[in-house]
Amino acid sequence: LELNTKPLQNTTLRWLIDSDNYYICPDEDNQSPVLQRYVAAMVALSLKPGYKLISKHECGWHGFECNLQQEIKEIRFDEAQGNLPEEVSVLPKLQHLVSQRGNMTDIHLNIQELGNLKHLDFDKNNIHGTFPNSGNVEMTSMERIDINYNSFSGGLEFLNSYPNLKEAHLDNNAFNGTIPESLGELSNLRILTLQNNSLTGTMPSSICDLRENGKLSVLIADCGGFEPKVNCTCCTHCFPFTLN
């Protein structure tokens, strides 16, 4: 780890060097324990300015849970006051990443590096821009994406990178364009909420097929009112809400 020009990173490094009394046995062949501690401290200070770092293993810090090998598997900071640093992407065993009801405005995740991530929940923040792109990497562990009540924009094609997705809570954002036919290939999908977006067109028949086979139990879109933005004959609810 080297000092750089970013204040948060420098503050974290200075704490590790000057103030942290927790001893980590040095190992030139495995620097993961040092890197994990650095990233955990940075996440805590970024999301909760004023967070009091203490000299015990980061698995015992508020907001973090670890597996039996003392690798971080869950980060949970509700009512965050800052943005998530991109360095969180170097935590290979992370399964749950949760930060609800806060003031996050941006996320810069290299999400393709988080191959074990199962659950991402950023609902009720103020995040702008497109959802992080995994490139051509299939994120087979992801089961739930909950990002409603933000300001995400762009199309829904990013969902194609999560073939085992079970729940996608995308309502109350600024997603636009038409709903991709390819989403019907998400054969494990149980919940898909799309209301209060700028999506238009007709709900693809492939998604309606998921409803007919009984797997997709909740499907909500902007298909209600006098001038519905989405034509959907298979939705469980249409917004403004009516029961189909």
Side-chain angles (χ1 to χ4, degrees):
L1 300 175
E2 298 179 355
L3 291 175
N4 56 51
T5 58
K6 296 182 179 180
L8 176 62
Q9 285 83 343
N10 283 344
T11 298
T12 306
L13 282 172
R14 279 302 177 194
W15 176 78
L16 286 171
I17 295 169
D18 299 334
S19 303
D20 187 13
N21 295 320
Y22 183 81
Y23 179 74
I24 299 177
C25 184
D27 185 347
E28 293 183 357
D29 296 325
N30 182 17
Q31 297 184 7
S32 296
V34 177
L35 182 59
Q36 174 175 282
R37 190 166 181 80
Y38 167 71
V39 172
M42 189 183 307
V43 168
L45 292 174
S46 180
L47 297 183
K48 291 286 188 178
Y51 186 100
K52 184 174 177 57
L53 300 172
I54 55 178
S55 294
K56 72 175 187 179
H57 198 281
E58 59 275 11
C59 291
W61 292 357
H62 174 74
F64 299 92
E65 289 190 19
C66 296
N67 58 25
L68 294 177
Q69 290 73 42
Q70 293 192 313
E71 300 164 310
I72 293 175
K73 68 175 184 179
E74 179 173 332
I75 296 175
R76 181 182 294 270
F77 280 92
D78 291 336
E79 300 180 346
Q81 300 302 308
N83 288 320
L84 191 71
E86 62 182 317
E87 284 84 354
V88 74
S89 303
V90 305
L91 300 175
K93 303 300 182 181
L94 189 63
Q95 297 180 9
H96 305 275
L97 182 54
V98 180
S99 185
Q100 304 175 348
R101 305 182 305 279
N103 292 323
M104 286 199 300
T105 58
D106 298 288
I107 52 172
H108 300 286
L109 290 178
N110 296 317
I111 200 164
Q112 69 276 10
E113 303 295 330
L114 296 172
N116 288 301
L117 193 63
K118 294 182 177 181
H119 174 206
L120 186 148
D121 190 345
F122 291 155
D123 73 334
K124 297 181 181 177
N125 280 277
N126 191 29
I127 304 171
H128 293 74
T130 58
F131 191 82
N133 192 335
S134 68
N136 295 320
V137 178
E138 282 197 342
M139 307 292 290
T140 56
S141 294
M142 185 72 82
E143 296 181 353
R144 179 178 177 181
I145 296 176
D146 191 344
I147 53 174
N148 55 347
Y149 289 94
N150 279 283
S151 297
F152 282 103
S153 57
L156 301 182
E157 288 77 10
F158 71 91
L159 292 176
N160 295 327
S161 297
Y162 308 102
N164 296 318
L165 194 64
K166 295 180 179 178
E167 299 183 22
H169 302 263
L170 311 179
D171 55 278
N172 292 278
N173 277 284
F175 289 113
N176 51 63
T178 58
I179 302 167
E181 182 81 29
S182 57
L183 298 190
E185 298 176 12
L186 303 177
S187 59
N188 295 312
L189 198 60
R190 303 290 188 270
I191 298 174
L192 178 61
T193 64
L194 302 174
Q195 72 273 21
N196 268 339
N197 278 287
S198 296
L199 298 164
T200 59
T202 299
M203 186 65 66
S205 59
S206 61
I207 296 179
C208 288
D209 289 343
L210 294 179
R211 279 280 300 131
E212 291 178 4
N213 67 26
K215 287 189 174 181
L216 184 58
S217 58
V218 176
L219 176 60
I220 308 175
D222 291 321
C223 49
F226 292 106
E227 297 183 358
K229 291 185 288 186
V230 176
N231 178 23
C232 183
T233 59
C234 62
C235 286
T236 57
H237 293 79
C238 285
F239 192 87
F241 281 131
T242 58
L243 182 64
N244 283 350

